[in-house]
Amino acid sequence: MTQVTSTETAGSPTRDRLLDAAAELFYREGVGVGVEALCRVAGVSKRSMYQLFDSKDGVLAASLERRAPAYLAFLLPPDDDRPPRERVLHVFERLEEMAARPDFRGCPFVAVTAELKAPDHPASLVARRCKDALTAFFRQEAERGGAADPELLARQLTVAFDGSGVRAVMQGRGLDGLALATAAALLAGAGVSAGDGAERRGPETSG
């Protein structure tokens, strides 16, 4: 759990500026970014940082926590009447869109935990909660779609999501429909169909 060590509360301009800068720097350059560089970019003194957080680890965890709602809001579909299969594929369409951007460095939550290599680190715990929320969405849609084993399908889709992001980073290129095709295959294999009258989506590509 992130510890706040001053009377400044969440939502203060200084804290928000620091966390926004941290999210950008840690994503672009990795968790090894030093406190001095972080404070310089954020326009915050080291003294102010340590009044807000007990350590850089606390800043890292809080920056992920601040980023998670917007990240999930971008990925997940709005409440609508599309079939479960289409709602799941919406997430993979968003992934394809992100992976095609030149500044894509993978899922920020996977990237941080891979660098830290410490499952009990505060930032790793925040990252896991975010990924668990994505898996919970997949499980909900799998249940609605009549999957034979919704829990298994949800975990498979999460692995496909994370693995696709890692592949895009390793290859230095977009996914060209591979993530969508993989998700569609998993859904079909689990018995989640497109539904009556629903348009089948996902390019017939391989990578």
Side-chain angles (χ1 to χ4, degrees), residues 5-205:
T5 57
S6 82
T7 56
E8 284 199 83
T9 59
S12 74
T14 299
R15 185 179 191 275
D16 290 348
R17 190 164 67 250
L18 177 64
L19 295 183
D20 287 343
E24 175 64 27
L25 277 175
F26 291 142
Y27 183 66
R28 187 176 70 240
E29 301 181 17
V31 300
V33 171
V35 169
E36 288 189 7
L38 171 59
C39 290
R40 182 172 61 253
V41 171
V44 173
S45 69
K46 290 173 65 175
R47 179 175 179 273
S48 293
M49 193 203 90
Y50 284 116
Q51 285 178 331
L52 287 163
F53 298 97
D54 61 339
S55 66
K56 191 184 83 170
D57 288 345
V59 177
L60 175 59
S63 71
L64 285 182
E65 197 148 27
R66 178 171 167 80
R67 184 171 191 168
Y71 182 78
L72 289 170
F74 174 79
L75 286 178
L76 302 183
D79 291 335
D80 55 33
D81 59 358
R82 281 179 291 176
R85 178 183 181 277
E86 300 303 298
R87 290 175 55 78
V88 169
L89 291 185
H90 173 97
V91 175
F92 287 86
E93 288 171 352
R94 291 296 204 180
L95 173 59
E96 296 269 358
E97 178 183 331
M98 290 191 298
R101 298 173 182 170
D103 61 348
F104 183 67
R105 300 291 184 272
C107 169
F109 304 95
V110 171
V112 164
T113 52
E115 281 197 80
L116 290 172
K117 299 178 178 63
D120 59 345
H121 189 285
S124 297
L125 298 178
V126 172
R128 189 153 63 244
R129 286 199 298 272
C130 183
K131 301 309 293 192
D132 286 348
L134 180 61
T135 303
F137 166 78
F138 288 147
R139 183 172 58 248
Q140 170 187 294
E141 298 303 323
E143 290 172 351
R144 291 182 58 238
D149 189 337
E151 178 66 28
L152 175 61
L153 177 58
R155 287 186 283 120
Q156 289 172 329
L157 289 167
T158 305
V159 169
F161 181 94
D162 291 340
S164 295
V166 170
R167 176 184 171 82
V169 173
M170 291 182 67
Q171 298 295 323
R173 53 174 292 186
L175 292 163
D176 300 324
L178 180 62
L180 267 171
T182 301
L186 287 171
L187 289 163
V192 180
S193 66
D196 292 341
E199 180 183 358
R200 186 173 180 83
R201 293 155 69 180
E204 300 295 327
T205 62

